[in-house]
Amino acid sequence: MLIQEMMDIVKKYFKSGSAGIYNSEPSDTPMGEEIGLYEYSGDDRSFKYCVCSSLNMDRGSYCKSTDHFKHEGDAVYSLFMHLTHSKDFHADFELMYYDKWGSYEDMYGVTIKVDDEWRVYLADSHMFVLARQDFTSAREAMEYFKETVKDDPYIQKLIKDYVSDYEAV
Amino acid sequence: MQIQDLMKLIDKYYAGADCRMTVCDHSPDPDGEGLRIGLYQTDCTFTVEEYPASKDCWYTHHFSAYGREGGAVYYFLNHPVYAEELKVHSFPEYRLLIHVNNKGLEIPYGVIMKLDGVWNAYLADKGHYYIKNWTFKSIDEAVDYFEGYVKSNEQLNDMAQRFINRNGQI
């Protein structure tokens, strides 16, 4: 998924409460928690997609940390992972993992309902609208997708290329 | 290669009564028939939008987006289904120029094809060159020659590298 696509989803399904999600680097001294999802425009071209979390702890102490990713999709999927237990994020979604180890390295996509439409986002830049739409949960939609494409050489190559090219700092 | 160049080639060469694919430079007609593909620029990306031919397909709509215009064109030319469809409908034979990165990922950055008897090389977004050497026995020889030339020419090599750096999307 592209950052811009994620920002549209955030606008629709994330209610800013104590935390806010922005398309830029968050401030060093936030009010609550600020998360930035953005493309870093510095010289380092290899790891330019960032997820930066800036948190106001208490008594004037702050903590800020940034993950840098080579792939735009990985920055987005790591933000999804961050939002898995968020009460402020109201979209029904399932992250998809290669193998089933469930580490940062092998996330390759997300199944999500957006605008009443079941969609599968893969790698950085692919979005598929599922032909079947009668799912009751993202997990069900994801399982249908995985079963359907398990022998699809085009999709399997795309997933494999993507997870093999993972790099982050 | 730019989208408008691809469209000219499609209009000129992709022909036949049994063509299964429609290619255009805008969002394809959602109510149309057969495989429909549109390549066009959006706010910040170049998009390839596809409606599959079959009603039985598992998806109804597919988008993919690229940071550079050439990225969208080379994705189209590199797609196995589209490439096969072009091949069986008198589209000129072509070979993509491929950069293999440190993880083994193949990133296309150009294409070579023979058009009206002349070897044409497209590089990154806007580079278009005619190769004057006529002695190539095969398209692979033309690819080898041009890849070597790009590597040895500072300006072209820089153009290729910048394109590849910006265009490693999957």
Side-chain angles (χ1 to χ4, degrees), chain B residues 58-69:
Chain B
W58 59 269
Y59 62 90
T60 57
H61 207 174
H62 174 203
F63 285 88
S64 58
Y66 300 86
R68 295 277 294 256
E69 183 165 7

Side-chain angles (χ1 to χ4, degrees), chain A residues 2 45 48 70-71 123-131 145 148-149 152 154-155 161-162 164-167, chain B residues 44-45 57-66 75 79-80 101-103 105 162 165-166 168-170:
Chain A
L2 302 171
R45 288 160 184 262
K48 60 186 172 181
K70 175 176 174 184
H71 280 279
D124 298 311
S125 52
H126 294 271
M127 190 277 275
F128 296 89
V129 178
L130 293 179
F145 163 75
T148 305
V149 303
D152 183 322
Y154 171 73
I155 299 292
D161 278 353
Y162 187 69
S164 310
D165 202 46
Y166 178 90
E167 279 184 88
Chain B
C44 45
T45 60
C57 185
W58 59 269
Y59 62 90
T60 57
H61 207 174
H62 174 203
F63 285 88
S64 58
Y66 300 86
Y75 165 79
H79 192 292
N101 79 3
N102 62 333
K103 297 276 191 172
L105 180 72
R162 273 186 286 121
N165 287 341
R166 186 73 187 87
Q169 292 110 327
I170 299 173

Side-chain angles (χ1 to χ4, degrees), chain A residues 64-104:
Chain A
K64 188 176 182 184
S65 73
T66 311
D67 291 324
H68 299 258
F69 298 93
K70 175 176 174 184
H71 280 279
E72 187 163 358
D74 285 319
V76 172
Y77 302 135
S78 87
L79 177 58
F80 266 107
M81 192 181 237
H82 191 94
L83 293 173
T84 301
H85 301 294
S86 166
K87 290 185 182 65
D88 300 322
F89 192 55
H90 300 284
D92 189 1
F93 73 91
E94 283 287 335
L95 278 167
M96 300 193 281
Y97 299 92
Y98 192 65
D99 280 331
K100 51 198 168 212
W101 295 105
S103 77
Y104 256 15

Side-chain angles (χ1 to χ4, degrees), chain B residues 4-19:
Chain B
Q4 58 178 10
D5 294 323
L6 176 69
M7 292 304 153
K8 280 181 205 151
L9 295 175
I10 295 269
D11 289 346
K12 187 166 178 188
Y13 296 107
Y14 176 59
D18 59 341
C19 284

Side-chain angles (χ1 to χ4, degrees), chain A residues 32-126:
Chain A
E33 183 182 18
E34 288 183 9
I35 302 168
L37 173 69
Y38 56 98
E39 182 177 340
Y40 170 72
S41 55
D43 295 331
D44 184 354
R45 288 160 184 262
S46 305
F47 301 97
K48 60 186 172 181
Y49 300 105
C50 303
V51 179
C52 177
S53 162
S54 186
L55 185 64
N56 182 352
M57 323 264 288
D58 60 357
R59 301 174 197 206
S61 79
Y62 298 92
C63 112
K64 188 176 182 184
S65 73
T66 311
D67 291 324
H68 299 258
F69 298 93
K70 175 176 174 184
H71 280 279
E72 187 163 358
D74 285 319
V76 172
Y77 302 135
S78 87
L79 177 58
F80 266 107
M81 192 181 237
H82 191 94
L83 293 173
T84 301
H85 301 294
S86 166
K87 290 185 182 65
D88 300 322
F89 192 55
H90 300 284
D92 189 1
F93 73 91
E94 283 287 335
L95 278 167
M96 300 193 281
Y97 299 92
Y98 192 65
D99 280 331
K100 51 198 168 212
W101 295 105
S103 77
Y104 256 15
E105 285 81 357
D106 43 37
M107 285 191 278
Y108 64 81
V110 64
T111 305
I112 184 168
K113 192 174 197 177
V114 181
D115 296 339
D116 279 325
E117 200 173 68
W118 287 109
R119 298 178 180 175
V120 171
Y121 289 87
L122 293 184
D124 298 311
S125 52
H126 294 271

